Amino acid sequence: MSSLPNFLTSLLTLTTILTSSACASSKDCGLNGDCLESICSCDPAWTGPTCTTLNLIPLSSTSADNGVYKHDTSTSWGANVLFSSEDNLYHMYVSEMKNNCTLTSWIPNSQITHAVSKELTGPFEFKETLFDTFHHNPRLTYDPSTKQYLLFMIGGDLSSTSDCSGIPDSQGELYDTRIIYSSSKSLNGPWSIPSEPLIERGGEDEWDYVVTNPSPIIHEDGTTYLYYRGTPKYWDDDIALRGELPESVGVAVADNFWGPYSKPFDSPILSYMNEDPFAWLDPVRGYKMLTHGRDDPLNTHYAYSEDGLSWSSGADVACDANVTVEDDQIKVFMNRERPQIFFEGGQPSYLFNGVCPDEHYGYAYTIAQEINKK
Ligand SMILES: *[C@@H]1O[C@H](CO)[C@@H](O)[C@H](O)[C@H]1NC(C)=O
Ligand SMILES: *[C@@H]1O[C@H](CO)[C@@H](O)[C@H](O)[C@H]1NC(C)=O
């Protein structure tokens, strides 16, 4: 009489384990949780059966509409924020298009703006144009070994177009491929004259003929892993037809952040196509990265690694472009990209993004969404 219920109990237990993607270690939990009795127990910032979904707190619809940075009608795209105890202000470095241009002519119209706020959630006020056209992809970090702030970015001097026209790909790719940095002892400057390009581009027939979207991890001994996006010679039809990877993430390494850099691999580090990496080192669990999905453009992806060199596929979805606002309502953006995290106590605290409310790669502004902490 008791054999059937026992059998059913075992079956149920087995089903539970199978459907909740049984884990064997923290690696099966995206390095974002512990594997307890074959089930992932996620750290507060993460959720989902494999802890690879960002645990985002709903935004108020006002915050989703107003964002944290809107400078008149100009488009902003990809904000990094750090706090300075020098003036008790939050400092934002963000790409901003000149002449009210939109993202369709980001080359040559992008420049780098410095904005400040008393609150992390804004509103950030425009302070200065730090690097005029063409500069893009700011990635701000602090290097404890040399005690200075570093602003990695791409670009070089190039005139804007007052009618917001683009420039030929053959010219644009020369600037899109210049990963450079500037340094400063203070978030209020002065910033050094930007460096020469740090990473050599690949050959014309290689996956990283264009090297762009820099995101460094600087270790305590100075060793630097510089993650970047590689693209073959601009939209070469032959390459596209052969189905090779138009936008993939790679790594270059150096003993110090200023280089010289070498590439340890001939191929990308993620098997799934992604761009715009934002990489960081979680001191407890390992190397982590958010990216914008290249084949899956409405989604932000997550990848993880124990050594910073050998990575998960990059196909896990951390969040999409639909922002949950109060009452479970959803605000749908046409684009939600350039994921950048603000950390508190080493843990993810806010996710910053560039968002386009109405038109694909049209006008964009900056939002910040809180990440769960308890
Ligand atoms: C941008 O657009 C606003 C609103 O139409 C206008 O007031 C401003 O002068 C424009 N700025 C430039 C640089 O074109
Ligand atoms: C996001 O919004 C779009 C448009 O309304 C919808 O088609 C899609 O299913 C939504 N995705 C999610 C995950 O809710």
Side-chain angles (χ1 to χ4, degrees):
M1 186 172 161
S2 66
S3 69
L4 189 60
N6 276 349
F7 167 75
L8 279 177
T9 310
S10 314
L11 192 67
L12 269 176
T13 310
L14 183 66
T15 314
T16 309
I17 291 174
L18 289 178
T19 54
S20 59
S21 28
C23 55
S25 73
S26 165
K27 216 177 158 184
D28 298 331
C29 307
L31 295 181
N32 284 327
D34 296 316
C35 179
L36 303 176
E37 292 174 4
S38 304
I39 297 189
C40 290
S41 166
C42 303
D43 297 340
W46 300 89
T47 184
T50 53
C51 306
T52 49
T53 306
L54 270 172
N55 196 356
L56 294 168
I57 294 176
L59 261 186
S60 73
S61 46
T62 319
S63 302
D65 289 344
N66 293 352
V68 292
Y69 180 61
K70 271 188 180 173
H71 180 209
D72 302 332
T73 50
S74 73
T75 279
S76 63
W77 193 242
N80 283 234
V81 175
L82 285 180
F83 178 75
S84 173
S85 53
E86 222 178 271
D87 53 12
N88 288 320
L89 292 175
Y90 292 90
H91 292 251
M92 174 185 282
Y93 299 82
V94 61
S95 299
E96 185 166 332
M97 309 308 131
K98 217 170 185 168
N99 305 328
N100 289 330
C101 296
T102 64
L103 292 169
T104 49
S105 61
W106 63 282
I107 301 182
N109 295 311
S110 179
Q111 53 194 342
I112 293 179
T113 285
H114 175 202
V116 292
S117 171
K118 285 188 184 130
E119 306 288 338
L120 179 56
T121 48
F124 281 81
E125 302 284 338
F126 174 87
K127 186 170 177 199
E128 60 187 324
T129 299
L130 209 54
F131 296 101
D132 207 326
T133 58
F134 161 77
H135 290 90
H136 195 67
N137 283 172
R139 173 64 163 96
L140 181 69
T141 189
Y142 182 72
D143 174 34
S145 68
T146 57
K147 295 194 174 50
Q148 59 186 341
Y149 295 96
L150 301 172
L151 189 62
F152 284 74
M153 58 194 152
I154 60 166
D157 291 341
L158 193 57
S159 300
S160 62
T161 51
S162 52
D163 62 352
C164 296
S165 53
I167 56 172
D169 283 351
S170 55
Q171 193 193 355
E173 70 178 17
L174 298 177
Y175 289 83
D176 190 12
T177 210
R178 300 183 88 252
I179 294 179
I180 57 181
Y181 75 86
S182 169
S183 59
S184 174
K185 293 279 179 197
S186 158
L187 288 174
N188 285 310
W191 290 89
S192 66
I193 292 168
S195 67
E196 287 301 303
L198 296 173
I199 304 185
E200 215 165 298
R201 69 193 320 175
E204 278 201 25
D205 56 348
E206 288 183 278
W207 71 276
D208 62 351
Y209 179 70
V210 169
V211 289
T212 186
N213 300 167
S215 185
I217 288 180
I218 305 172
H219 299 90
E220 270 174 25
D221 67 356
T223 313
T224 302
Y225 291 174
L226 182 51
Y227 300 95
Y228 64 96
R229 184 252 285 176
T231 306
K233 195 164 165 52
Y234 262 23
W235 317 121
D236 177 322
D237 287 343
D238 279 356
I239 289 172
L241 287 175
R242 290 206 306 273
E244 285 169 10
L245 307 177
E247 291 194 352
S248 310
V249 175
V251 66
V253 302
D255 290 341
N256 297 288
F257 69 80
W258 58 87
Y261 284 90
S262 62
K263 298 176 189 170
F265 309 115
D266 293 334
S267 49
I269 52 166
L270 305 185
S271 55
Y272 193 90
M273 273 199 266
N274 284 290
E275 65 155 342
D276 282 350
F278 175 85
W280 74 102
L281 180 54
D282 170 344
V284 180
R285 297 195 187 272
Y287 295 80
K288 301 177 177 185
M289 186 186 288
L290 291 179
T291 56
H292 169 236
R294 169 66 180 81
D295 262 2
D296 185 14
L298 289 174
N299 288 331
T300 295
H301 287 201
Y302 171 68
Y304 54 96
S305 164
E306 286 174 310
D307 63 3
L309 299 172
S310 168
W311 287 78
S312 66
S313 71
D316 289 309
V317 175
C319 71
D320 61 19
N322 299 350
V323 173
T324 305
V325 291
E326 66 270 337
D327 304 327
D328 288 335
Q329 297 293 304
I330 283 177
K331 181 164 172 77
V332 178
F333 287 107
M334 303 304 288
N335 305 83
R336 179 190 202 180
E337 300 186 18
R338 294 296 301 163
Q340 316 269 349
I341 292 176
F342 179 85
F343 296 90
E344 273 172 296
Q347 292 309 306
S349 176
Y350 274 82
L351 175 66
F352 282 77
N353 289 106
V355 289
C356 298
D358 306 316
E359 199 184 322
H360 180 73
Y361 288 150
Y363 165 71
Y365 61 97
T366 302
I367 62 166
Q369 188 169 12
E370 192 174 5
I371 300 170
N372 186 55
K373 293 175 196 67
K374 47 182 194 280

